[in-house]
Amino acid sequence: MEHEIQQFLTYMAAERGASANTISAYRNDLAQLRSYFVEQHQQDDDQSAGMPIEEIDVEQLQEYIVHLREQQYAAATVARKVAAVKSLFSYLHGEGLIDVNPAEQLSSPRVGRSLPRTLTIQEVDALLEQPSRWDTPEAARDQAMLEMLYATGMRVSEFVSLDLSSIELQGQRASVRCVGKGRRERLIPIHSAAVAALHHYLQEARPKLARGRREVALFINRRGERLTRQGVWLIIKNYAEAAGISGVTPHTLRHSFATHLLRGAAPLRNVQELMGHANISTTQLYTQLTNEHLRDVYDRAHPRAS
């Protein structure tokens, strides 16, 4: 099974253009599938090579799902793992590597789409004020980083992949070019406050952080190397705690970006383009947050609503 899984991962990366994060998630979920069947085969036949993948049937896959539920995984996690299994067997069947797709009729847990966590505008302001309390190169970088994330709504994986050549700060149309899921490229405007923070970072702080290194990454750490996803998450977490806000991640700023644009009457299609969503249904999720906000305003403002 290990060989077939590797073939599938290569296909996803080379032909489907899946991101490194997606490939990593598939690899972990399918490694768990392989381990399960290796263990089952050892119990049945006292062998270690594992069950040949072409011998796996739908009943055995259903037993695997029961096994996942017994591990007390969340429904969303089980659904993700089942989706990985279905993708693997669909690929193998499509390539003619197995005669029958045992996962074709496989059902996965129904997962309701929960509304994303967003910040109020006041919370965003409080968060963005935090780096200004320090006069260090790291603080200048962090100011630019926070402004940039909220100004563009980029995914953190897109953000850490930015190079110096990704931004255009001259003239009246400052923008950033990023590559999102499926290697789709989009151009996002940058407002003046973010441009000012970026100028300060690039001119004053980044040269001190670079320490003479010829690093092409836009945002770098104190060693002069590209900032990582984990590094960004930790920076935001620390500033959020200092601002008295809990549960803030880079994606919280992305959710807030979309919600605040829609509340400001930005057209849904434009927000979809800025967010890099392949389907508008994903963007429509944020309209529920906007509707909740309108309901709160209505309840506070209407004389009979109290």
Side-chain angles (χ1 to χ4, degrees):
M1 185 185 295
E2 185 173 4
H3 175 67
E4 288 84 359
I5 290 174
Q6 188 54 52
Q7 281 184 292
F8 168 69
L9 295 176
T10 300
Y11 158 78
M12 290 298 295
E15 298 189 34
R16 295 292 300 276
S19 69
N21 292 335
T22 299
I23 296 298
S24 177
Y26 272 125
R27 179 178 290 107
N28 291 336
D29 289 339
L30 296 176
Q32 186 173 9
L33 174 75
R34 178 182 178 277
S35 296
Y36 170 81
F37 279 106
V38 166
E39 183 178 340
Q40 293 300 305
H41 204 53
Q42 285 175 334
Q43 292 174 358
D44 296 339
D45 298 284
D46 194 26
Q47 297 178 21
S48 61
M51 181 179 293
I53 201 163
E54 62 272 12
E55 295 182 12
I56 296 175
D57 59 30
V58 64
E59 183 177 343
Q60 291 164 326
L61 289 178
Q62 288 170 339
E63 290 174 355
Y64 174 63
I65 296 175
V66 171
H67 166 75
L68 291 176
R69 288 171 172 157
E70 289 174 347
Q71 305 305 304
Q72 297 186 334
Y73 286 114
T77 302
V78 175
R80 190 198 70 222
K81 292 178 183 295
V82 172
V85 171
K86 290 173 71 93
S87 295
L88 169 66
F89 282 97
S90 176
Y91 161 76
L92 294 175
H93 185 250
E95 293 293 309
L97 299 174
I98 55 175
D99 294 330
V100 178
N101 179 1
E104 188 171 9
Q105 302 301 323
L106 204 62
S107 60
S108 59
R110 293 177 61 86
V111 180
R113 299 187 70 179
S114 59
L115 295 179
R117 158 92 159 98
T118 64
L119 301 177
T120 65
I121 294 175
Q122 292 76 20
E123 286 175 327
V124 171
D125 288 341
L127 178 64
L128 267 57
E129 286 174 3
Q130 296 307 309
S132 63
R133 299 172 183 270
W134 290 272
D135 184 19
T136 64
E138 289 85 358
R141 175 204 61 200
D142 299 345
Q143 185 75 62
M145 182 185 79
L146 292 173
E147 289 280 6
M148 184 83 153
L149 283 168
Y150 181 58
T152 62
M154 281 189 289
R155 302 174 179 93
V156 66
S157 56
E158 298 167 345
F159 177 80
V160 297
S161 298
L162 295 176
D163 293 332
L164 290 167
S165 59
S166 303
I167 57 171
E168 174 56 61
L169 302 181
Q170 304 303 317
Q172 299 299 312
R173 296 184 178 274
S175 60
V176 57
R177 188 177 301 276
C178 74
V179 179
K181 292 184 176 181
R183 296 182 181 175
R184 291 187 296 271
E185 189 177 271
R186 65 188 191 278
L187 193 67
I188 309 173
I190 312 174
H191 59 64
S192 58
V195 170
L198 281 164
H199 271 304
H200 178 63
Y201 162 64
L202 291 172
Q203 295 170 5
E204 303 295 334
R206 192 181 183 281
K208 296 175 183 176
L209 294 172
R211 301 176 185 275
R213 293 175 61 100
R214 304 186 67 177
E215 173 60 66
V216 300
L218 176 58
F219 287 94
I220 57 179
N221 58 29
R222 65 181 61 187
R223 296 185 302 276
E225 300 167 349
R226 185 181 295 272
L227 203 60
T228 65
R229 295 169 69 247
Q230 293 80 6
V232 173
W233 183 89
L234 186 59
I235 290 168
I236 292 176
K237 177 176 179 288
N238 289 338
Y239 283 125
E241 289 178 351
I245 311 169
S246 61
V248 180
T249 70
H251 229 60
T252 308
L253 287 173
R254 176 171 165 82
H255 295 323
S256 303
F257 166 83
T259 304
H260 296 169
L261 281 180
L262 288 170
R263 287 178 183 171
L268 189 64
R269 286 287 182 185
N270 294 136
V271 176
Q272 176 194 5
E273 185 178 352
L274 290 169
M275 294 286 282
H277 288 154
N279 299 309
I280 199 166
S281 60
T282 307
T283 319
Q284 285 173 328
L285 180 65
Y286 296 101
T287 63
Q288 297 181 46
L289 293 168
T290 303
N291 292 339
E292 284 191 354
H293 171 72
L294 291 176
R295 178 71 196 195
D296 290 341
V297 171
Y298 173 87
D299 287 342
R300 289 195 304 268
H302 197 287
R304 301 285 290 179
S306 59

